[in-house]
Amino acid sequence: VTWATLPYGSFTTPHEPGRLRVGVRLDGPRAGRVLDLTAAGPALVGRHAGLFLGGTLDPLLAAGPTVWHEVRESLLAAWDTADERFTVPADAVTLHLPWTVGDYVDFYASEHHAANLGRLFRPDSDPLTPNWKHLPIGYHGRSGTVVVSGTPVRRPRGQRRTPDGEVVFGPSTRLDMEVEFGFVVGAGSRLGESVPQAAFADHVLGVCLVNDWSARDIQAWEYVPLGPFLGKSFATSVSPWVVPLAALESARVAPPPRDVPLQAYLDDRGSRWGLDVAFQVHLNGHPVSRPPLASMYWTGAQMLAHLTVNGASVRPGDLYASGTVSGPEPGQWGSFIELTRGGREPLTLPDRTTRTFLEDGDEVVVSAVAPGPDGAVVDLGSVAGTIVPAA
Amino acid sequence: VTWATLPYGSFTTPHEPGRLRVGVRLDGPRAGRVLDLTAAGPALVGRHAGLFLGGTLDPLLAAGPTVWHEVRESLLAAWDTADERFTVPADAVTLHLPWTVGDYVDFYASEHHAANLGRLFRPDSDPLTPNWKHLPIGYHGRSGTVVVSGTPVRRPRGQRRTPDGEVVFGPSTRLDMEVEFGFVVGAGSRLGESVPQAAFADHVLGVCLVNDWSARDIQAWEYVPLGPFLGKSFATSVSPWVVPLAALESARVAPPPRDVPLQAYLDDRGSRWGLDVAFQVHLNGHPVSRPPLASMYWTGAQMLAHLTVNGASVRPGDLYASGTVSGPEPGQWGSFIELTRGGREPLTLPDRTTRTFLEDGDEVVVSAVAPGPDGAVVDLGSVAGTIVPAA
């Protein structure tokens, strides 16, 4: 028995394209294969097999942390010896959005990203707003347009203001990626109650990679005073494999030192929910950035505590994301608006074309890994998307 | 046969508290009674009866405009002669949130409200931001905390900044209502496509009243730069009866004149989707305001066209709301922050107590009516909520 990441997803086979199944991606000696948990459930997870019959993660999410633990322990004990007839080649399956997204909240948890954007959007003010180190700033995004990796991303149309102050309408000319880390909420909470940081792992089943596509020109014109709306709502891509939080124990690190004293509900002295996840970003196959999640100021546990401190409830399927992951160095920035300094310094790709923002046909692939136990690697998979022309 | 509003809701009876049913509120000679459509479906709506067996509006919402029309025509023909055994007294039923809320978007469509708030929040700038008359400003709210009228509203806790700049944590001291009008989306749209204003009634089944409770102190500290978050996400109350858009034909009016030329997708010359809905707001039984929906700058048709112009899809169950409805006169403002001029001019109630913002135990009841055909009145019902102390 070997340790493995064992993330959960939903898939169909060419054989039965109408039958959604829950799969577990295998690695190690069985890399490149998917364990069909909808078929293998009775043999592998016993009385929890019913959770996987519907082919989505929804019942597992709602089942809560005791069941999550039991299912994962069963899978860790059996994945590399389970009957091979329960596995299928990963390259033969179609992956689907594996759960029903409830509310989607996007945070703004990277100090480097927030400062980079503050300098670009509000050049006459301090890079960070006065509230930034007191609370993890967040806002609600559109859950109905969360799509699985591989879904084409149509360039949005919208209003923008030209440099000479004219308001025009058309396809976005400043289409960007945002490399983010997502937390998938399982067990819900009750309206009027809060989820303390200590209960983070009781509510979050797992994590995924997120690309929160952003139209900077639409956003810049619309976002005062109520925040981003159409500049973000046209598509948010997520990786197809939800990696259990339990697989990231060896990746836990201390977050950066806190510069201002935090309110009790955000105080995380003594806890370690920073995560040493290393992202890689490729544009049309060419590496363009390596954002380090460990550099984030706010942790996922703090985000959940903040999100619920006012009594707002969470539901199974809620997704919250970190906001763009940007490290301190230019090669670690998670958006093109940062990498090209607001579009003023284009990137040159190996084919000698240049990029400020994304062009039709461009493909962005974001992948990530983290340390596992005993030298193992936690493969967080990837989230990919290709830009298709505006309608 | 008499014309009637015939709104849809979900109810249970004391007899069968576990069995959710779809009801239609009756008026005229049968005022005070609810038609049980889950029981009466086969007799009244024939082949559409199956839509009502589950007890929520979800299947009806997804069925689309042809079915909506057929069901309403059947009900208009039969409601006042249907077997009385299919009706129950309205005061004997418990009303529930009648549909599953998908995404919730909140707009900011009243010029008077936006200007009043601009003056309070940004006293050194123009009351309206430069974008305000070019597009209906909106943002996503939390759909998981939309609750049905009558649900107690727990005072939220959160961070706020005191007038001398200290950041403190505790129960909100500036808890407010926001009187709004809500649009319930039925038929969905495809990702990457837009919904033009002309298709508004093909996608919106009906309307409801909304109270978007707001903690002004939490909001003021958190909202720069990404908009409202915890100041709004703790609770949003909706009226229990969804009034078909088709019942509001006689309430349609021209919206206010447009002060700047609009992009083609927002241009509504020749359309008439202003709505002559008259709100009444009571605090602890005392009338405090009468906001007029007809004064809103942006219409529901424009909001839907804007929400989808970037290619964002809508789903059955999506809710979008107008933002606070405030008319030009002080007695027509839809929030206490406006009615008390930022808390500086308290209201005096008949019991000689005063109010700036809401106190524990306060009850807010928002009701509304609109003109129907031939002198009939469209009763939009009410949305009520009582503040309970912070956790």
Side-chain angles (χ1 to χ4, degrees):
Chain A
V1 175
T2 327
W3 188 91
T5 306
L6 304 182
Y8 301 102
S10 285
F11 72 98
T12 50
T13 63
H15 231 59
E16 285 189 286
R19 172 109 197 259
L20 208 59
R21 299 162 177 278
V22 172
V24 176
R25 197 196 61 209
L26 304 181
D27 50 20
R30 287 182 157 183
R33 297 195 76 82
V34 172
L35 179 64
D36 180 349
L37 206 46
T38 299
L44 295 192
V45 297
R47 65 193 176 91
H48 298 311
L51 296 174
F52 306 106
L53 293 180
T56 78
L57 305 188
D58 294 352
L60 178 66
L61 286 167
T66 304
V67 172
W68 304 341
H69 178 74
E70 290 171 7
V71 168
R72 181 165 168 82
E73 290 299 308
S74 299
L75 292 174
L76 279 171
W79 72 271
D80 56 350
T81 55
D83 191 328
E84 187 142 359
R85 285 173 303 178
F86 291 137
T87 70
V88 288
D91 55 14
V93 305
T94 302
L95 295 166
H96 300 266
L97 185 66
W99 81 99
T100 307
V101 181
D103 274 298
Y104 165 46
V105 167
D106 198 19
F107 283 91
Y108 195 53
S110 160
E111 178 175 359
H112 309 291
H113 172 71
N116 286 339
L117 256 66
R119 278 186 282 265
L120 289 167
F121 275 77
R122 295 174 299 279
D124 303 326
S125 311
D126 282 338
L128 294 181
T129 50
N131 52 8
W132 202 92
K133 294 212 165 166
H134 292 271
L135 50 80
I137 291 174
Y139 68 100
H140 285 87
R142 190 163 187 82
S143 58
T145 53
V146 173
V147 297
V148 73
S149 174
T151 305
V153 175
R154 189 170 293 283
R155 180 181 299 275
R157 303 180 307 158
Q159 293 190 26
R160 64 179 189 275
R161 188 160 56 171
T162 64
D164 44 346
E166 198 191 349
V167 179
V168 299
F169 177 84
S172 170
T173 61
R174 289 164 72 90
L175 183 54
D176 203 350
M177 64 180 181
E178 289 203 328
V179 175
E180 307 200 7
F181 196 67
F183 298 89
V184 183
V185 174
S189 66
R190 285 166 52 156
L191 187 62
E193 298 179 1
S194 306
V195 178
Q197 290 187 69
F200 170 57
D202 295 333
H203 288 271
V204 170
L205 167 72
V207 302
C208 62
L209 309 183
V210 177
N211 186 339
D212 191 34
W213 306 94
S214 298
R216 301 298 180 189
D217 43 358
I218 297 173
Q219 183 185 350
W221 171 231
E222 74 178 357
Y223 93 108
V224 174
L226 299 185
F229 182 37
L230 301 190
K232 301 275 195 173
S233 66
F234 56 95
T236 302
S237 300
V238 296
S239 56
W241 295 108
V242 176
V243 172
L245 197 60
L248 289 167
E249 273 299 316
S250 302
R252 292 178 62 176
V253 294
R258 277 64 177 84
D259 297 330
V260 303
L262 294 175
Q263 299 292 337
Y265 76 96
L266 291 174
D267 190 341
D268 65 347
R269 284 173 290 185
S271 110
R272 281 166 66 88
W273 274 117
L275 289 170
D276 180 19
V277 172
F279 285 90
Q280 279 215 50
V281 186
H282 286 81
L283 171 62
N284 301 335
H286 175 65
V288 291
S289 182
R290 303 178 73 99
L293 189 69
S295 68
M296 303 298 271
Y297 194 83
W298 300 104
T299 70
Q302 288 173 314
M303 294 176 208
L304 183 60
H306 186 61
L307 167 51
T308 58
V309 77
N310 67 344
S313 46
V314 291
R315 289 174 291 173
D318 283 354
L319 169 68
Y320 65 94
S322 61
T324 305
V325 181
S326 289
E329 304 300 325
Q332 300 179 322
W333 295 343
S335 66
F336 286 107
I337 197 171
E338 294 169 86
L339 291 167
T340 66
R341 296 168 200 264
R344 289 189 299 270
E345 300 180 15
L347 301 179
T348 301
L349 302 185
D351 64 3
R352 295 176 177 256
T353 61
T354 60
R355 285 294 182 286
T356 49
F357 293 96
L358 292 166
E359 299 189 0
D360 293 344
D362 278 352
E363 184 192 43
V364 176
V365 179
V366 177
S367 57
V369 293
D374 304 323
V377 172
V378 178
D379 179 0
L380 288 134
S382 66
V383 55
T386 298
I387 308 302
V388 298
Chain B
V1 175
T2 326
W3 189 91
T5 305
L6 303 182
Y8 301 102
S10 286
F11 71 97
T12 50
T13 62
H15 231 59
E16 283 189 286
R19 173 106 196 263
L20 207 58
R21 297 162 177 278
V22 172
V24 176
R25 197 197 59 208
L26 305 180
D27 49 20
R30 286 183 157 180
R33 297 195 76 81
V34 172
L35 179 64
D36 180 348
L37 206 47
T38 299
L44 295 192
V45 297
R47 66 193 177 90
H48 298 312
L51 297 174
F52 306 105
L53 293 180
T56 79
L57 305 188
D58 294 351
L60 178 67
L61 286 167
T66 305
V67 172
W68 303 341
H69 177 75
E70 290 172 6
V71 168
R72 181 164 168 82
E73 289 299 308
S74 300
L75 292 174
L76 278 171
W79 72 271
D80 55 350
T81 54
D83 192 327
E84 186 141 0
R85 285 173 303 180
F86 290 136
T87 70
V88 288
D91 55 13
V93 305
T94 301
L95 294 166
H96 300 266
L97 186 66
W99 81 99
T100 307
V101 181
D103 272 299
Y104 166 46
V105 168
D106 198 18
F107 284 92
Y108 195 52
S110 160
E111 178 176 0
H112 309 292
H113 172 71
N116 286 339
L117 255 66
R119 279 186 281 266
L120 289 168
F121 276 74
R122 295 174 299 279
D124 304 326
S125 312
D126 282 339
L128 295 181
T129 50
N131 52 7
W132 202 92
K133 293 211 166 170
H134 291 272
L135 51 80
I137 292 175
Y139 68 100
H140 285 87
R142 189 163 187 81
S143 58
T145 53
V146 173
V147 296
V148 73
S149 174
T151 306
V153 174
R154 190 170 292 284
R155 179 181 300 276
R157 303 180 306 160
Q159 293 190 26
R160 64 179 189 275
R161 187 160 56 171
T162 64
D164 45 345
E166 198 191 349
V167 179
V168 299
F169 177 83
S172 170
T173 61
R174 289 164 72 91
L175 182 55
D176 203 350
M177 63 180 181
E178 290 203 327
V179 175
E180 307 200 7
F181 196 68
F183 299 88
V184 183
V185 174
S189 65
R190 286 166 52 155
L191 187 63
E193 298 180 0
S194 305
V195 178
Q197 289 186 70
F200 170 57
D202 294 334
H203 288 271
V204 170
L205 167 72
V207 301
C208 62
L209 309 183
V210 177
N211 187 339
D212 192 35
W213 307 94
S214 297
R216 301 297 180 189
D217 43 357
I218 296 172
Q219 184 185 350
W221 171 231
E222 75 179 355
Y223 92 108
V224 174
L226 298 184
F229 182 38
L230 301 190
K232 302 274 197 175
S233 66
F234 56 96
T236 303
S237 300
V238 296
S239 57
W241 295 107
V242 176
V243 172
L245 197 59
L248 289 168
E249 272 301 313
S250 302
R252 291 176 64 177
V253 294
R258 278 64 178 82
D259 297 330
V260 304
L262 294 175
Q263 300 291 335
Y265 77 95
L266 290 174
D267 189 341
D268 65 348
R269 283 173 293 184
S271 110
R272 281 165 66 87
W273 274 116
L275 289 170
D276 180 20
V277 172
F279 285 89
Q280 279 214 49
V281 186
H282 286 81
L283 171 62
N284 300 336
H286 174 67
V288 292
S289 183
R290 303 178 73 97
L293 189 68
S295 68
M296 302 298 273
Y297 194 84
W298 300 104
T299 71
Q302 289 173 314
M303 294 175 207
L304 183 60
H306 186 62
L307 166 53
T308 58
V309 76
N310 66 344
S313 47
V314 290
R315 290 174 291 173
D318 283 354
L319 169 68
Y320 64 94
S322 61
T324 306
V325 182
S326 289
E329 304 301 325
Q332 300 178 322
W333 294 343
S335 67
F336 286 106
I337 197 171
E338 294 169 88
L339 291 168
T340 67
R341 296 168 199 267
R344 288 189 300 271
E345 300 181 15
L347 300 180
T348 302
L349 302 184
D351 65 0
R352 296 177 176 254
T353 61
T354 61
R355 286 294 181 287
T356 49
F357 293 94
L358 292 165
E359 300 189 0
D360 292 345
D362 279 352
E363 184 192 40
V364 175
V365 180
V366 177
S367 57
V369 292
D374 304 322
V377 171
V378 178
D379 179 1
L380 288 135
S382 66
V383 53
T386 298
I387 309 302
V388 299

